[in-house]
Amino acid sequence: MRTQVGIVGAGPAGLLLSHLLHLAGIESVVLEARNRAYVEQRVRAGVLEHPTAELLREVGVGERMTREGLPHEGLVLRFDGADHRMPLAELTGKTITVYGQQEVVKDLIARRLADGGRILFESTDVCLHDLTTDRPRITFVDAEGKVRQLDCDVIAGCDGFHGVSRPSIPADKLRVFQRTYPFAWLGILARTPPSHEELIYTYSERGFALHSMRSPELTRLYIQVSPEEQLADWPDERIWDELHARLRLGNGFSLHEGPVVDKLLAAMRSFVVEPMRYGRLFLAGDAAHIVPPTGAKGMNLAVADVRLLARALTELLTKANADLADAYSESCLRRVWRAEHFSWWMTSMLHRFPEDDPFAQRLQLSQLRYTTSSTAAATSMAENYVGLPFD
Ligand code: APR
Ligand code: PHB
């Protein structure tokens, strides 16, 4: 088999890249380890930045998002026993859209298949070869168990944090930057209407809690827990008790309970590799960088990466012009590091750290009060949250 761009991974990065390349007249094949139902049902992030939503609309995959996504003009920081609203739209003129990552994935798969795109689900044992030549190859085992080879001009590693692409690069060619946090998130999806129309990020003595949603009938909730916790130790009742305790407010906020339809534990990590390229292998999305979920940046960074990568590969493959490809890593990393800082900052301000003393906690409270009372500070948070312009 032969194609111009071999894409490993059918997450938001791989699928959107394949679509953008198709619009530019470039052929690609997407190799995905899981089956279609699995990737379409995997519950992940849910907040689209303004530039992400605009891009999806511009490239013709935003129709259902515009219909079913929930536009939000603000969010709430809950601390000091009160709600402090961050008026995102007033401060920036922009909104965010609450729309599940798996819905974006469904829309992209449907569109690729309608356009004749090739997505090979259940492709296993993916191995990358000859990355420093201009004929890189991918070998894999297809859904029928047959060993196959995909000859490419370029390979895009869009296979997430645990994929094969990044480890295919010799370790001495990459510089790794990382932080792990002394807590994890325990998240649930509950079949119940949201208890508030906006997201609520809560700083409490018992630790961080987040109230979010997916639709008028589905609530998404998270609590900070120790990284050693096991899901088995968290029956639904214990999770609801902890959520009630952390989200409690004097003025009668009441949290709606409902059947729990998904439950997960997520490690909290910041991670970046530089450069995001090795020869003819280009990394995009979680394959190259991870942010803790507090700033809701993961999927948005993946989208920003492939927007640049599609342009770079179009120039490279249609005009033999390597300028954008050579600039790809550096251009991406500017936005990546802004999001890394923002996510680290939100995480540091809102969580309880086991080693924190009362001094550190007073600093967190001071930062929260400043962020919600100064227009300058609020605007800084808001413009990062809604997403800085792409260019
Ligand atoms: N071979 C083929 N496919 C693979 C392999 C492999 N060895 N390893 C992983 N994959 C697939 C995964 O099954 C997944 O579908 O690659 C895809 C990677 O998708 P994501 O993890 O969604 O990564 P990305 O597209 O970069 O999107 C980033 O995902 O984890 C969230 O918070 C993150 O929202 C962010 C977004
Ligand atoms: C979510 O709805 O899943 C969500 C929202 C905001 C975040 C993280 C996750 O910061």
Side-chain angles (χ1 to χ4, degrees):
M1 229 191 322
R2 165 147 189 93
T3 193
Q4 289 176 286
V5 183
I7 300 176
V8 189
L15 291 166
L16 181 60
L17 177 64
S18 179
H19 175 61
L20 295 175
L21 290 172
H22 169 72
L23 295 181
I26 292 174
E27 227 186 62
S28 64
V29 173
V30 180
L31 302 179
E32 166 58 49
R34 307 288 192 155
N35 64 36
R36 181 174 175 183
Y38 183 91
V39 301
E40 290 191 341
Q41 264 136 51
R42 188 165 44 188
V43 181
R44 308 286 273 279
V47 175
L48 305 185
E49 289 180 347
H50 173 84
T52 301
E54 287 291 288
L55 177 71
L56 294 177
R57 273 191 273 271
E58 266 166 38
V59 302
V61 288
E63 195 208 315
R64 195 165 65 94
M65 174 198 70
T66 302
R67 216 170 46 232
E68 297 177 15
L70 309 171
H72 281 219
E73 298 194 346
L75 59 79
V76 170
L77 293 175
R78 181 171 288 184
F79 61 92
D80 276 346
D83 278 351
H84 308 262
R85 182 166 186 270
M86 180 71 60
L88 299 170
E90 210 176 282
L91 293 165
T92 65
K94 293 170 186 160
T95 59
I96 52 157
T97 304
V98 173
Y99 190 64
Q101 176 170 320
Q102 78 273 27
E103 305 306 321
V104 174
V105 163
K106 277 182 209 162
D107 297 344
L108 287 166
I109 290 176
R111 181 59 191 267
R112 280 313 291 130
L113 297 179
D115 288 343
R118 283 187 291 172
I119 307 171
L120 306 185
F121 292 102
E122 298 178 75
S123 294
T124 52
D125 295 332
V126 168
C127 286
L128 314 187
H129 312 270
D130 306 333
L131 297 175
T132 52
T133 71
D134 51 15
R135 278 284 173 278
R137 295 178 294 125
I138 308 179
T139 53
F140 63 102
V141 175
D142 71 13
E144 280 76 50
K146 275 209 333 236
V147 178
R148 309 273 297 265
Q149 175 164 311
L150 180 62
D151 298 313
C152 317
D153 295 327
V154 166
I155 297 174
C158 303
D159 47 354
F161 187 67
H162 301 287
V164 294
S165 298
R166 193 182 63 252
S168 305
I169 302 175
D172 65 345
K173 301 289 181 198
L174 289 182
R175 184 152 178 215
V176 175
F177 302 81
Q178 62 180 324
R179 272 282 149 94
T180 52
Y181 299 88
F183 37 76
W185 274 18
L186 193 168
I188 58 168
L189 189 66
R191 198 165 294 289
T192 185
S195 307
H196 186 85
E197 59 275 18
E198 294 183 331
L199 272 69
I200 307 171
Y201 288 83
T202 306
Y203 175 81
S204 94
E205 269 169 30
R206 303 178 68 96
F208 173 76
L210 171 62
H211 164 274
S212 178
M213 69 281 299
R214 283 293 177 280
S215 72
E217 295 81 37
L218 279 176
T219 302
R220 185 82 166 143
L221 296 152
Y222 299 93
I223 48 173
Q224 161 188 2
V225 296
S226 142
E228 281 84 45
E229 292 288 342
Q230 308 287 321
L231 272 187
D233 296 324
W234 285 89
D236 297 355
E237 200 185 289
R238 183 176 175 208
I239 300 175
W240 287 114
D241 286 349
E242 198 54 42
L243 282 163
H244 282 292
R246 295 189 192 186
L247 288 163
R248 180 166 295 132
L249 252 196
N251 70 6
F253 170 80
S254 82
L255 177 66
H256 305 158
E257 289 194 22
V260 174
V261 295
D262 185 68
K263 208 188 269 193
L264 84 158
L265 272 174
M268 302 278 282
R269 169 190 280 132
S270 298
F271 176 97
V272 182
V273 287
E274 294 185 5
M276 291 169 56
R277 174 188 183 177
Y278 174 67
R280 285 265 174 147
L281 168 64
F282 294 80
L283 301 178
D286 276 18
H289 42 72
I290 295 282
V291 285
T294 327
K297 290 288 169 239
M299 170 174 36
N300 295 293
L301 277 184
V303 166
D305 287 352
V306 299
R307 173 181 168 274
L308 288 182
L309 186 53
R311 292 178 180 195
L313 297 183
T314 304
E315 286 291 302
L316 184 69
L317 300 177
T318 60
K319 298 188 195 140
N321 174 359
D323 291 352
L324 292 180
D326 291 343
Y328 169 71
S329 175
E330 215 181 307
S331 313
C332 275
L333 286 165
R334 290 187 79 83
R335 189 179 189 84
V336 167
W337 278 111
R338 179 85 298 280
E340 289 288 342
H341 179 273
F342 181 67
S343 307
W344 163 85
W345 176 79
M346 286 273 283
T347 302
S348 309
M349 178 169 71
L350 285 161
H351 290 75
R352 283 281 166 146
F353 288 70
E355 71 274 17
D356 273 1
D357 55 7
F359 182 86
Q361 289 160 10
R362 287 290 189 279
L363 292 181
Q364 287 176 313
L365 271 177
S366 170
Q367 186 64 35
L368 281 161
R369 291 173 187 152
Y370 176 57
T371 302
T372 49
S373 60
S374 149
T375 306
T379 306
S380 169
M381 174 175 162
E383 70 171 358
N384 278 280
Y385 197 87
V386 302
L388 292 159
F390 282 134
D391 294 309

